[in-house]
Amino acid sequence: MDHSLSVVVQIELDTRCVRLVVTGDLTEHNHRTLTPLVGRARALFPDAAVAVDLTGAQHVDPEGLDLLRWSLEQSPAPEPGGSVRILTRPVPFGLAEASRPAVRAHVPAPAPRHGAGAEGVAA
């Protein structure tokens, strides 16, 4: 299966915003292609905010999204620089909870009562 990205750069001069509109599939393997594009956008328009718009992507892998966020935090930003935001679609109701592993709370066994018999009834 081909997991490719397509990026269109939209420059909004009035609002001083550069939007990278991403389509295709964002994965942990191809997230690296977006970091240099964000760097170029920030270098061309140092005071502009940059938005990485993933709302039109067909698939966004959670690991790829985490790695993209991490790499953008680690990449050096030109000074002065505008903010960088990542825009994603909201997760459908219930899907976020279903994808997380169930956490089972440890419930301690009831403490034995002093003077209780085998049936748990105090004598």
Side-chain angles (χ1 to χ4, degrees):
M1 180 178 231
D2 182 28
H3 295 288
S4 61
L5 290 175
S6 177
V7 180
V8 173
V9 179
Q10 295 177 342
I11 301 168
E12 300 171 10
L13 296 175
D14 295 344
T15 60
R16 303 204 48 81
C17 179
V18 178
R19 183 179 300 265
L20 303 176
V21 181
V22 180
T23 57
D25 299 331
L26 177 70
T27 66
E28 61 184 313
H29 301 291
N30 67 8
H31 78 278
R32 294 180 201 102
T33 59
L34 293 175
T35 306
L37 294 175
V38 170
R40 287 181 184 175
R42 295 191 82 199
L44 286 173
F45 301 99
D47 294 333
V50 176
V52 180
D53 188 349
L54 297 169
T55 59
Q58 283 72 30
H59 174 74
V60 176
D61 187 28
E63 291 83 14
L65 183 59
D66 288 342
L67 288 168
L68 175 62
R69 287 184 175 132
W70 181 84
S71 64
L72 290 174
E73 289 174 2
Q74 301 301 316
S75 66
E79 294 295 331
S83 63
V84 177
R85 297 182 315 152
I86 299 175
L87 308 174
T88 60
R89 284 184 284 191
V91 177
F93 180 74
L95 188 59
E97 292 81 16
S99 65
R100 287 188 219 151
V103 178
R104 298 174 86 171
H106 173 68
V107 179
R113 296 182 189 172
H114 296 290
E119 293 81 32
V121 178

